[in-house]
Amino acid sequence: MRELDETLELLHRDARTAPADLSAARARLMAELDAAPTVVPLRPKRSRRWIAVPVAAAVAGVVTVAVVVQTGSAPAPDVPRAAPPTTESTVNPTANWPDIKLMSAAQVLNRAADLSVGATDQPVGPGQFRFVAEHTWVQRGVQTGDATGYTYLWEQQVDRWIPADPHDVWQENRKILNTGRFLGGSVPQSQAPVPEVTDTDQGQWQGRCGDFFPKSKSAKKCDDPADWDSPAFYAKLPRDPAALYAKLQALTSNRGSTPRVMFHYGIEILRAGMMPAELRAQWYRALAKIPGMTVLAAEANLDGRTGVALGLDDRHEIRQLIVDPVTGQFIGERQVAGAEPDEAWIKPGTEIGASAITTGVATRLGAEPAK
């Protein structure tokens, strides 16, 4: 439950409660702070799955969206759009599907689940490592007052090596590739200095069972059934979609088990890259039961891979889960500011989050899998 609380603490910090509660929370927060600005850390504690999307054409190769998300309103005119990827083949991977635009999210997720049935994971032999790479754009926010501040976008690569025996030494590399783009603020960019890169924003760490920060207050334990980075978490999950949905409700009960929180938690678990293939199909069927799920984009591209985007629009944020229509694999996620963004200085329609997930098997610690 500690892992869930840590992650959900970051879920729309300024908009996850009613307006009256938000005002009170902000008042309490500001009463405890000095006049100095507060920098929202890139990777608080051990959470490593917080991202945002490339919005400049110069980084079109990072995450590109091939169709406009159906949000009900067009993106802000000054938000640059990444160009569609160019490929040698014109084959549409969704061509053998029914018209996706006419399908419900439940139908698409169940179709992805059908494709996942019988899928097997690439085996990780003795001395080998499961490799999980996440190419992301991360929001770095600075709050200077009750309703003032600004937001930048940082590009980051996070690579993790998980040994065949999870009790052995893991490794994680983090690298800031770009300090990103100014998304907006209550002050002009000339008065909004880029936050400094911290010691935990980039570097290399090792630890048994993935315990990269053993001196942290919340110690990471081996075989923790509450930690989605641990195989023990997945071993304890039920395999029936209805039971999985009930489990999601139970895990998020202290946050009201709202569709927004349940969907967020469901994506975070997929992003860890640890879910066994045999469980993924049932996980999709469980997510399909979340109220309000819709098909947001019939074709979305992440790092050169085409997928179908499904998700929720709660007016504050439009969050998408993107699946490969050929294999049913989860390939990443994307976030767009809704009609009423969490931060007043973010314009509706702004791309504010995305990640592309790649997995494989490496033969040695710190080495990428063979192409």
Side-chain angles (χ1 to χ4, degrees), residues 142-219:
V142 175
Q143 185 170 339
T144 57
D146 184 34
T148 59
Y150 54 89
T151 305
Y152 276 89
L153 226 51
W154 286 15
E155 183 185 8
Q156 185 181 43
Q157 181 71 35
V158 180
D159 297 331
R160 176 174 279 203
W161 288 263
I162 304 160
D165 181 350
H167 297 91
D168 290 340
V169 174
W170 300 29
Q171 179 171 310
E172 181 168 291
N173 295 356
R174 304 175 186 174
K175 184 178 181 180
I176 299 298
L177 305 176
N178 193 308
T179 51
R181 175 182 181 272
F182 185 65
L183 284 186
S186 58
V187 295
Q189 185 174 0
S190 60
Q191 300 176 28
V194 176
E196 294 184 1
V197 177
T198 69
D199 292 340
T200 57
D201 290 338
Q202 61 181 4
Q204 181 184 106
W205 297 268
Q206 293 185 346
R208 295 187 181 279
C209 300
D211 188 6
F212 302 124
F213 304 100
K215 295 182 180 180
S216 63
K217 293 182 179 180
S218 299

Side-chain angles (χ1 to χ4, degrees), residues 65 67-71 94 97 99-113 115-116 259-260 262-264 266-268 270 280 283-302 306-314 317-326 328-336 353:
V65 176
V67 294
V68 176
V69 177
Q70 300 168 1
T71 64
T94 63
W97 285 44
D99 190 343
I100 292 176
K101 293 180 180 179
L102 301 179
M103 295 175 70
S104 68
Q107 288 173 321
V108 173
L109 280 171
N110 282 318
R111 176 63 180 266
L115 292 170
S116 298
R260 180 187 199 179
M262 291 180 66
F263 185 55
H264 166 82
I267 288 178
E268 291 306 303
L270 287 168
R280 190 175 68 241
W283 193 255
Y284 285 157
R285 298 189 202 281
L287 294 181
K289 299 178 181 296
I290 297 177
M293 292 277 290
T294 59
V295 177
L296 295 173
E299 294 177 38
N301 187 284
L302 293 174
T306 299
V308 181
L310 310 105
L312 294 172
D313 179 356
D314 70 354
E317 178 185 276
I318 304 153
R319 189 161 190 180
Q320 306 173 7
L321 175 157
I322 301 179
V323 297
D324 186 316
V326 175
Q329 287 186 332
F330 169 77
I331 62 174
E333 58 115 9
R334 180 171 178 258
Q335 300 162 4
V336 176

Side-chain angles (χ1 to χ4, degrees), residues 234-304:
Y234 303 95
K236 292 289 186 179
L237 289 179
R239 265 46 182 175
D240 175 71
L244 279 172
Y245 182 80
K247 181 68 173 179
L248 270 175
Q249 287 182 311
L251 290 173
T252 58
S253 60
N254 63 334
R255 299 287 178 175
S257 298
T258 63
R260 180 187 199 179
V261 172
M262 291 180 66
F263 185 55
H264 166 82
Y265 187 66
I267 288 178
E268 291 306 303
I269 292 176
L270 287 168
R271 288 182 60 189
M274 294 284 288
M275 181 172 290
E278 50 86 16
L279 175 60
R280 190 175 68 241
Q282 308 313 322
W283 193 255
Y284 285 157
R285 298 189 202 281
L287 294 181
K289 299 178 181 296
I290 297 177
M293 292 277 290
T294 59
V295 177
L296 295 173
E299 294 177 38
N301 187 284
L302 293 174
D303 273 6

